[in-house]
Amino acid sequence: MRLTLQVQVLLVLLSFVSSLLVAVVAGVLSHEAGAPAAGALLYGGGAFIGWMTLCVTVLTALGLLGQHSRTGG
């Protein structure tokens, strides 16, 4: 299934927003567990990178990213 470039951008944006949410939750939980602010920030950053990588890898493996169809004739 080939998606248009706009749909692919929306999928990447959705991946970014979900990664941001995961990062904030991971950072807050880390801070509440006793980590200093800098450590919690690094923990959240690692969670962001991990989740974003997973999202993009899954979308690419499903064939939803990488190729786009041209609309119009």
Side-chain angles (χ1 to χ4, degrees):
M1 173 169 64
R2 292 187 177 192
L3 301 176
T4 63
L5 181 61
Q6 291 85 3
V7 173
Q8 290 181 9
V9 169
L10 286 175
L11 286 172
V12 171
L13 186 62
L14 181 64
S15 297
F16 177 80
V17 170
S18 69
S19 298
L20 195 60
L21 179 65
V22 167
V24 168
V25 169
V28 167
L29 288 176
S30 174
H31 187 61
E32 288 297 318
L41 184 67
L42 286 174
Y43 197 83
F48 176 86
I49 294 295
W51 189 255
M52 188 70 179
T53 302
L54 180 67
C55 287
V56 170
T57 301
V58 168
L59 289 173
T60 303
L62 291 174
L64 298 175
L65 292 182
Q67 300 176 357
H68 59 80
S69 64
R70 295 181 184 206
T71 56

